[in-house]
């Protein structure tokens, strides 16, 4: 089954980028995200001694009663610092051992636990329960096949990541043979810093309307991965051009309609839309050179 | 059945490096991992990679620091190999595009770290492990190395000669988490275990949920001894609710530890009158727990780490990521309130006994990374020494498994004429297998398996039967209950402070867990993504691993590195310059000792006091 049809509950109207003066929409979104404006609510406040009400999506293709997707309610005792991941782990360990979801690091580095929480893609381990309105509705990432409960099929996401030749191509460097250190300026390192933070959680891809409509679209994470290599001065110009050719194909950067949904959900605050825009400009520059 | 030359189990830093090396040596190589590679816990490492890169530094200094840090329980051939190869292997990462932090002249940056005589910790922001993991995964993709991801390895397929030194490993049995299908993976040349740490044996840990010591337990039950398991590093500043690590950086910048009375206890109670908060990890961890035990802990559980006095500007400049960690994982704003911290299990110095080529006493079975004990860390690991271990020994294990000649090892493995049997310690309970489990051993169904296929088929059958048993049983105990009892016992009694009575109590509880495990069942009836089944397997492994940790902690009656014993609070070089080995012997653990090797290539490392 697929959640392809599900519409996010809190669809936001596309905003007019002109509204906020000279600030780019990118900057504004990042700022809002930092100040917590896009959170559902902080009204939940202090939950000490109370229970948290979760509504969790359940589905299993082979278990009777679970073949039709449903929501199960769990009431979990609140503890200070409790995250969405803590809450579903508690529900699984204490109430229902068949409740299934991916998770590992519990610290926002493994990218396993992107869920659709109260209508938005978020990492379970990085989302404090107190910041959410109750009942907390936890669903698998939209636009991906659901394998079971909160587990989605990530193969398509991985395929797209692999499609951009996501590895350093060092054929051109003279130092390769004797492993002499390649130099890189701190500025250039800074340039690729944000792009290199991606943890492959898939939240961006799941939030993207274009990706939902065009299965072959590379998607924000893969394009960002390519950005990291294309902008790294340690690779040669020739390889950069090769990368741009991959990116400007039909299902590449030009598909992006700068809706910013990816940037808004990225748990690592990567300015995805900005990176895609920059690659569009680079592609134009490269093509002009050949005309 | 799947078939490859080299099967690498695990896709963290050690597994990926081993796979790349085996592939480069011409072997048909596959990785089997319960997590997709980029989900591995190597991604959580922040600090850096120690390697002598600069002029003025050299590998001999690195080796010396490592040996001193190990409290003279590292084996010199391994320590020297680490220090010699770290440069080349770190530079190789650079050539693979790893985004290291840079100096103005374009060279990779290095910084000082605890216990190092030269600033040789090479880093990539505060995300060194993340970049190391992703860079190596990229190289795996580039080479087209086959990855079976979300396949859980359940057991090894080994031959069943009486003496483990005569056994041979032919492959592994794994199940596809997505479909529940159980399959044999035949390894024509060798199996490399790279399954990471066993932190989940403890209630409070900086390790991931997936760090369940599977490789340890599988190798152990196949007959390879586990070495120095009592040496567990506890990190003094982890967040109480999740175990997320707050780096030493906070204390380095001037962060202060307070008890519930607002006293700066490191000084007030004389735990470390000179270095205070910056004393070594084990000293600070013991001080914190003493405060809590004596009633001066906050909420009877933790202490406060305060950085507010550093001022917003400095905090934002130097420690911004700490603010995010405290906010995201503990719901605390480090700018307005102190952060709660307590000691958490962090790293296992011990592991599967291997030689410098990564090989165990079982032919064709290798181990590398945190699951292995080669041993470079001895009694205590220096910060920044685990990541180079992954790449140096991951590479060696991969190459050797692929058939390359790396020279004869100097480190010996397995039971042999150079070991000494443990004879003195009384055990409070019988350790090892209970009931039904006993018949699950290597030589269970009698006779030596004729060939590799035979060994593999029988191993597959055994796991299918076991899964059927677990799935068909419809009442009993669930793994979560046993696991939390086990974790609690380890944290209560085999933590930073260890007493004979406490460790014995832990062994009793571990025994109870084993007995309860006889009655374990899997409630989820599904073959699709059955994490209930997977965790039930993992819990069994945790029981075996926890028991070896407790056994080691009981027999080693001295204070060395991270292991502290109340009854003998000195480093006892007279009696204890030796490794502890625990071997499963068909269900009944036996304990023996092997002398440490302090003779290096050119010099002998003389034990000195470990003071900084
Ligand atoms: C928070 C933190 C910070 C750290 N910081 C540093 C640092 O700054 N510097 C440093 O040197 N060290 C650091 N360390 C230590 C270091 O990161 C680890 O020791 C190291 O990354 C372990 O790597 P590994 O490859 O052995 O295991 P892991 O990266 O844990 O990988 C284990 C792999 O095995 C697989 N696996 C496990 N069991 C099975 C099974 N049954 N079947 C199939 N696959 C299986 C998993 O899927 C995974 O891919 C840190 C550790 C932690 C926890
Ligand atoms: S770009 Fe951000 S949202 Fe997308 S996969 Fe990477 S970390 Fe996740
Ligand atoms: S559990 Fe690893 S990112 Fe959340």
């Amino acid at each position: 089954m697929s959640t392809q049809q599900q519409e996010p509950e809190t669809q936001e109207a596309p905003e007019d980028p002109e509204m906020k003066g000279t600030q780019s929409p990118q900057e504004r979104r990042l700022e809002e995200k930092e100040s917590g404006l896009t959170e559902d609510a902080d009204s939940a406040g202090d939950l000490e001694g109370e229970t948290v009400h979760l509504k969790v999506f359940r589905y299993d293709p082979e278990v009777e009663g679970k073949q039709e997707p449903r929501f199960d309610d769990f009431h979990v005792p609140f503890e200070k610092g409790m995250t969405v991941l803590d809450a579903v782990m508690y529900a699984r360990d204490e109430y229902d051992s068949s409740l299934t979801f991916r998770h590992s690091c519990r610290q926002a580095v493994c990218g396993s636990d992107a869920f659709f929480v109260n209508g938005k893609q978020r990492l379970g381990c990085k989302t404090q329960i107190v910041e959410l309105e109750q009942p907390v509705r936890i669903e698998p990432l939209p636009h991906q096949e659901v394998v079971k409960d909160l587990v989605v099929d990530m193969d398509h996401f991985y395929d797209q990541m692999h499609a951009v030749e996501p590895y350093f191509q060092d054929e051109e460097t003279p130092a390769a043979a004797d492993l002499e250190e390649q130099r890189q300026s701190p500025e250039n390192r800074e340039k690729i810093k944000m792009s290199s933070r991606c943890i492959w959680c898939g939240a961006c891809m799941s939030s993207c309307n274009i990706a939902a409509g065009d299965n072959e679209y590379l998607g924000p994470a893969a394009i960002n991965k390519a950005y990291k290599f294309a902008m790294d001065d340690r690779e040669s110009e020739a390889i950069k051009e090769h990368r741009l050719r991959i990116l400007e194909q039909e299902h590449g950067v030009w598909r992006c309609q700068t809706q910013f949904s990816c940037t808004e959900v990225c748990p690592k605050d990567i300015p995805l839309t900005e990176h895609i825009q920059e690659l569009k400009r680079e592609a134009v520059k490269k093509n002009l050179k050949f005309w | 059945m799947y078939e490859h030359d080299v099967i690498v189990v695990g896709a963290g830093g050690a597994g990926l490096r081993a796979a790349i090396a085996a592939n480069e040596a011409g072997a048909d190589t596959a990785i089997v991992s319960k997590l997709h590679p980029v989900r591995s816990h190597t991604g959580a490492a922040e600090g850096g990679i120690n390697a002598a890169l600069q002029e003025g530094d050299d590998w001999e200094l690195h080796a010396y620091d490592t040996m001193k840090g190990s409290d003279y329980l590292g084996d010199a051939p391994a320590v020297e190999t680490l220090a010699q190869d770290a440069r080349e292997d770190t530079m190789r990462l650079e050539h693979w595009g790893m985004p290291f932090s840079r100096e103005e002249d374009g060279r990779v940056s290095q910084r000082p770290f605890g216990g190092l005589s030269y600033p040789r910790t090479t880093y990539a922001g505060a995300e060194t492990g993340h970049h190391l993991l992703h860079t190596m995964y990229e190289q795996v993709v580039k080479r087209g190395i086959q990855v079976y991801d979300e396949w859980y390895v359940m057991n090894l397929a080994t031959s069943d000669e009486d003496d483990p030194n005569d056994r041979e490993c032919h492959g592994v049995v794994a199940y596809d988490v997505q479909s529940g299908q159980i399959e044999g993976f035949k390894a024509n040349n060798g199996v490399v275990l790279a399954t990471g740490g066993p932190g989940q044996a403890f209630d409070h840990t900086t390790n991931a949920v997936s760090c369940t010591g599977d490789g340890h337990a599988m190798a152990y039950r196949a007959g390879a001894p586990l070495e120095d398991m009592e040496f567990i590093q506890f990190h003094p500043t982890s967040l109480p609710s999740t175990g997320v690590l707050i780096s030493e950086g906070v204390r380095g910048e001037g962060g202060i530890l307070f008890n519930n009375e607002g006293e700066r206890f490191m000084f007030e109670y004389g735990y470390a009158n000179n270095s205070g908060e910056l004393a070594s990890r084990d000293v600070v961890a013991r001080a914190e727990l003493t405060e809590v035990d004596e009633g001066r802990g906050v909420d009877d559980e933790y202490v406060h780490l305060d950085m507010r006095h550093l001022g917003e500007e400095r905090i934002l400049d130097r420690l911004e990521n700490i603010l995010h960690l405290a906010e995201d994982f503990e719901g605390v704003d480090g700018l307005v309130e102190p952060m709660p911290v307590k000691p958490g299990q962090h790293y296992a110095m011990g592991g599967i006994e291997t030689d410098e080529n990564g090989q165990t006493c079982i032919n064709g079975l290798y181990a590398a990374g945190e699951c292995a004990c080669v041993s470079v860390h001895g009694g205590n690991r220096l910060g920044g020494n685990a990541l180079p271990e992954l790449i140096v020994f991951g590479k060696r294990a991969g190459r050797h498994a692929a058939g390359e000649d790396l020279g004869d090892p100097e480190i010996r493995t397995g039971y042999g004429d150079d070991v000494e049997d443990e004879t003195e310690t009384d055990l409070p309970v019988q350790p090892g297998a209970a009931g039904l489990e006993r018949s699950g051993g290597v030589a269970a169904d009698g006779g030596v398996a004729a060939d590799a296929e035979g060994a593999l088929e029988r191993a597959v059958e055994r796991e299918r039967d076991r899964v059927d048993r677990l799935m068909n049983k419809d009442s009993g105990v669930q793994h979560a209950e046993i696991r939390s009892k086990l974790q609690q016992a380890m944290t209560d009694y085999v933590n930073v402070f260890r007493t004979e009575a406490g460790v014995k109590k832990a062994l009793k509880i571990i025994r109870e867990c084993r007995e309860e495990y006889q009655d374990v069942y899997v409630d989820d009836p599904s073959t699709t993504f059955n994490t209930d089944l997977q965790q039930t397997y993992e819990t069994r492994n945790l029981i075996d691993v926890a028991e070896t940790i407790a056994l080691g902690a009981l027999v080693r009656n001295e204070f060395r590195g991270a292991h502290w014993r109340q009854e003998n609070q000195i480093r006892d070089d007279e009696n204890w310059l030796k490794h502890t080995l625990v071997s499963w012997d068909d269900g009944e653990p036996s304990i023996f000792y092997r002398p440490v090797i302090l003779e290096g290539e050119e010099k002998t490392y003389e034990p000195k006091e470990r003071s900084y």
Side-chain angles (χ1 to χ4, degrees):
Chain A
M1 74 139 267
S2 160
T3 51
Q4 195 89 25
Q5 268 62 264
Q6 289 184 2
E7 280 297 312
E9 288 159 82
T10 51
Q11 190 120 43
E12 278 172 50
E15 287 167 64
D16 184 355
E18 304 295 294
M19 297 277 282
K20 286 209 180 173
T22 54
Q23 215 182 14
S24 79
Q26 174 84 25
E27 284 162 350
R28 179 163 43 79
R29 295 218 179 223
L30 284 175
E31 214 165 80
E32 278 180 4
K33 205 159 95 168
E34 296 214 318
S35 67
L37 273 180
T38 54
E39 291 297 342
D40 283 347
D42 48 8
S43 56
D46 190 9
L47 295 171
E48 218 69 59
E50 291 178 28
T51 59
V52 181
H53 183 184
L54 312 177
K55 270 191 155 347
V56 187
F57 179 93
R58 306 301 303 271
Y59 165 76
D60 188 317
E62 48 165 322
V63 171
E64 222 174 300
K66 275 179 85 182
Q67 283 152 330
E68 275 304 311
R70 61 166 204 246
F71 280 87
D72 280 356
D73 295 279
F74 295 101
H75 296 270
V76 171
F78 176 79
E79 275 183 43
K80 188 169 163 53
M82 182 176 244
T83 62
V84 168
L85 178 65
D86 293 333
V88 287
M89 282 172 77
Y90 188 94
R92 177 197 63 196
D93 291 346
E94 302 295 325
Y95 307 137
D96 182 352
S97 64
S98 71
L99 179 58
T100 305
F101 46 89
R102 289 192 182 95
H103 64 304
S104 185
C105 69
R106 304 166 301 152
Q107 51 186 275
V109 296
C110 77
S112 302
D113 63 337
F115 307 137
F116 197 54
V117 182
N118 282 0
K120 185 179 163 190
Q121 287 81 358
R122 311 174 200 246
L123 278 187
C125 63
K126 195 175 179 261
T127 306
Q128 290 284 320
I129 284 279
V130 283
E131 287 168 9
L132 301 171
E133 216 158 338
Q134 289 196 41
V136 179
R137 202 176 152 92
I138 308 172
E139 298 167 74
L141 288 183
H143 304 127
Q144 268 145 296
E145 285 294 314
V146 178
V147 176
K148 176 175 171 180
D149 294 350
L150 302 176
V151 176
V152 293
D153 189 338
M154 294 290 287
D155 285 350
H156 178 61
F157 178 82
Y158 296 147
D159 287 346
Q160 302 309 79
M161 293 303 269
H162 293 170
V164 297
E165 301 185 5
Y167 35 78
F168 199 70
Q169 307 195 7
D170 60 355
E171 284 79 358
E172 301 291 311
T173 60
D178 52 5
L179 284 180
E180 200 180 298
E181 179 175 352
Q182 306 172 85
R183 303 292 178 101
Q184 182 183 27
S185 69
E187 294 73 32
N188 187 242
R189 163 57 166 77
E190 189 64 24
K191 170 104 191 140
I192 60 170
K193 179 173 106 180
M194 292 310 285
S195 64
S196 70
R197 287 197 168 157
C198 174
I199 55 172
W200 297 43
C201 70
C204 53
M205 184 85 137
S206 164
S207 77
C208 175
N209 278 330
I210 313 299
D214 173 7
N215 210 33
E216 284 173 63
Y217 175 44
L218 288 170
I223 295 176
N224 173 69
K225 185 86 177 165
Y227 176 97
K228 175 189 125 172
F229 293 105
M231 295 299 164
D232 191 322
D233 285 347
R234 289 175 295 172
E235 276 192 346
S236 69
E237 273 302 310
I239 293 173
K240 181 169 177 180
E241 273 166 27
H242 170 67
R243 293 195 181 281
L244 288 172
R245 272 194 294 278
I246 297 176
L247 291 171
E248 63 182 350
Q249 41 111 343
E250 195 189 342
H251 303 281
V253 285
W254 297 107
R255 282 276 148 144
C256 170
Q257 297 177 4
T258 51
Q259 294 179 348
F260 287 93
S261 61
C262 55
T263 305
E264 194 176 295
V265 299
C266 175
K268 299 312 257 189
D269 296 338
I270 302 171
L272 293 161
T273 315
E274 183 53 45
H275 286 170
I276 299 173
Q277 293 299 87
E278 198 178 334
L279 286 168
K280 288 181 188 167
R281 291 194 294 272
E282 291 286 319
V284 170
K285 260 202 299 203
K286 181 200 71 159
N287 290 337
L288 285 177
K289 212 165 80 182
F290 287 103
W291 279 347
Chain B
M1 191 193 299
Y2 298 92
E3 184 174 338
H4 296 276
D5 294 339
V6 175
I7 304 267
V8 178
V9 182
L16 295 174
R17 191 64 189 85
I20 293 168
N23 169 275
E24 285 183 343
D28 163 21
T29 305
I31 297 173
V32 187
S33 178
K34 67 181 179 183
L35 301 173
H36 182 280
V38 302
R39 319 283 175 217
S40 304
H41 205 49
T42 292
E46 296 172 4
I49 311 172
N50 295 340
L53 300 179
Q54 294 172 10
E55 255 167 67
D57 193 9
D58 69 41
W59 73 262
E60 285 171 314
L61 290 171
H62 185 186
Y64 177 83
D65 294 341
T66 303
M67 191 56 109
K68 181 175 168 199
S70 81
D71 231 355
Y72 301 91
L73 203 64
D75 284 322
V79 169
E80 294 190 341
T81 302
L82 175 87
Q84 284 164 347
D85 288 8
R87 182 196 171 271
E88 181 185 318
D89 286 316
T90 305
M91 275 302 123
R92 192 164 322 267
L93 290 172
E94 199 276 328
H95 276 265
W96 287 339
M98 181 161 161
F100 285 110
S101 296
R102 299 281 169 166
E103 293 302 310
E104 280 308 320
D105 65 0
R107 290 184 177 272
V108 299
S109 305
Q110 295 197 296
R111 62 180 162 208
F113 238 46
L116 301 185
S117 56
Y118 194 92
R120 71 170 72 88
T121 306
T122 320
Y123 60 98
E127 303 133 354
T128 311
H130 165 81
H131 293 307
L132 178 134
L133 182 69
H134 283 257
T135 301
M136 282 203 281
Y137 178 60
E138 289 160 14
Q139 292 299 312
V140 163
V141 172
K142 180 177 183 183
R143 289 167 172 73
I145 296 171
Q146 171 123 35
V147 181
Y148 299 88
D149 75 298
E150 302 197 312
W151 277 79
Y152 179 81
V153 174
M154 315 164 96
N155 224 339
L156 304 175
T158 49
S159 64
D160 45 15
E161 288 82 359
D162 284 340
D163 183 350
N165 296 341
D166 297 332
R167 290 181 195 154
E168 187 153 355
C169 181
H170 296 298
V172 304
V173 184
Y175 96 99
D176 178 4
V177 180
Q178 277 224 19
S179 72
Q181 175 201 358
I182 299 174
E183 282 295 340
F185 286 74
K186 183 161 172 280
N188 297 322
N189 290 17
V191 170
V192 182
L193 294 172
T195 50
Q200 288 293 324
F202 291 81
D203 172 56
H204 192 72
T205 174
T206 63
N207 285 9
V209 174
S210 58
C211 298
T212 51
D214 296 344
H216 292 81
M218 291 189 283
Y220 176 52
R221 292 195 300 262
L226 298 185
E227 176 175 352
D228 293 338
M229 292 298 285
E230 61 273 29
F231 292 101
I232 300 279
Q233 186 170 79
F234 297 90
H235 199 288
T237 53
S238 67
L239 295 174
S241 63
T242 50
V244 168
L245 187 90
I246 297 296
S247 92
E248 250 124 14
V250 178
R251 282 169 291 141
E253 292 293 332
I256 297 176
L257 290 167
F258 291 111
N259 62 17
N260 70 356
E261 279 151 31
E263 295 167 311
R264 189 175 183 181
F265 58 87
M266 290 306 296
F267 290 102
E268 301 262 336
Y269 291 87
Y271 297 108
N273 286 325
N274 294 321
S275 30
E277 282 82 7
L278 290 171
S280 68
R281 287 178 181 177
D282 52 323
V283 172
V284 180
R286 281 193 295 274
E288 290 174 2
L289 281 195
T290 306
E291 290 301 297
V292 173
D293 286 348
E294 293 181 357
R296 295 187 299 275
V298 186
D299 288 347
D300 278 334
E301 191 197 351
Y302 49 85
V303 297
H304 277 142
L305 175 59
D306 201 342
M307 58 178 186
R308 291 172 296 179
H309 59 286
L310 301 177
E312 183 165 342
E313 199 178 323
R314 178 136 165 233
I315 294 175
L316 284 176
D317 184 39
R318 308 269 180 91
L319 300 167
E320 194 191 341
N321 71 319
I322 302 293
L323 282 181
H324 294 306
L325 291 176
E327 179 75 48
D328 293 341
F329 304 111
E330 197 68 41
V332 165
D333 182 351
L335 287 177
V336 300
E337 44 189 332
M339 300 175 287
V341 292
K342 70 180 206 182
Q345 190 281 350
H346 184 50
Y347 184 84
M349 271 70 76
I352 305 160
E353 184 200 37
T354 71
D355 62 27
E356 317 83 292
N357 300 332
Q359 196 164 19
T360 69
C361 69
I362 297 176
N363 208 359
L365 181 64
Y366 296 77
E370 192 171 336
C371 72
C373 181
V374 46
S375 115
V376 287
H377 310 300
N380 176 53
R381 172 185 72 100
L382 294 182
N385 254 355
L387 296 179
E389 182 193 11
L390 305 182
I391 52 178
V392 168
F393 291 99
K395 177 194 68 182
R396 291 178 71 88
R399 286 169 60 180
H400 201 270
E404 268 190 29
D405 184 4
L406 300 179
D408 285 337
E410 284 172 59
I411 296 171
R412 295 182 58 176
T413 54
Y415 193 87
D417 53 18
D418 60 333
V419 308
E420 169 199 339
D421 287 303
E422 154 63 33
T423 49
E424 284 170 17
T425 315
D426 293 336
L427 296 177
V429 281
Q430 192 223 327
L436 284 177
E437 292 286 341
R438 188 175 289 282
S439 62
V442 178
D445 22 20
V448 173
D451 56 8
E453 264 94 22
L456 210 59
E457 270 163 29
R458 290 198 327 198
V460 169
E461 269 325 299
R462 265 202 299 270
E463 297 313 314
R464 291 205 172 121
D465 287 350
R466 196 169 153 208
V467 168
D468 283 346
R469 250 194 344 260
L470 291 169
M471 300 281 289
N472 290 337
K473 192 166 153 50
D474 48 24
S475 67
V477 202
Q478 292 200 296
H479 70 81
E481 202 180 307
I482 304 176
R483 184 186 291 215
S484 70
K485 177 170 168 175
L486 181 82
Q487 291 170 329
Q488 198 57 50
M490 293 299 283
T491 293
D492 286 348
Y493 303 115
V494 200
N495 213 33
V496 183
F497 286 115
R498 292 160 175 188
T499 65
E500 182 181 340
V503 175
K504 285 187 166 169
K505 186 131 194 209
L507 280 167
K508 280 194 192 135
I509 300 173
I510 293 167
R511 183 75 203 170
E512 284 167 29
C513 291
R514 264 192 203 289
E515 271 150 22
E516 283 163 26
Y517 194 87
Q518 299 301 306
D519 194 30
V520 81
Y521 79 110
V522 174
D523 197 38
D524 187 348
S526 182
T527 55
T528 306
F529 226 98
N530 193 329
T531 48
D532 192 3
L533 175 63
Q534 180 179 329
Q535 290 192 299
T536 303
Y537 259 79
E538 290 169 342
T539 300
R540 158 64 195 302
N541 293 336
L542 285 171
I543 296 174
D544 285 344
V545 173
E547 189 170 74
T548 62
I549 297 170
L551 286 171
L554 181 64
V555 296
R556 185 178 289 273
N557 187 18
E558 67 159 344
F559 169 25
R560 180 183 303 273
H563 171 68
W564 183 95
R565 268 290 295 275
Q566 189 193 40
E567 294 80 7
N568 194 17
Q569 300 175 26
I570 52 155
R571 190 178 83 191
D572 185 352
D573 287 343
E574 191 89 9
N575 295 305
W576 286 102
L577 278 175
K578 58 189 181 189
H579 300 291
T580 320
L581 293 148
V582 188
S583 141
W584 177 252
D585 278 356
D586 238 354
E588 267 176 76
S590 67
I591 302 172
F592 52 94
Y593 305 107
R594 169 169 275 123
V596 63
I597 307 176
L598 296 177
E599 293 81 37
E601 251 169 49
E602 275 161 21
K603 64 162 181 259
T604 294
Y605 298 84
E606 292 298 336
K608 295 204 181 77
E609 199 190 332
R610 186 174 66 104
S611 66
Y612 293 105

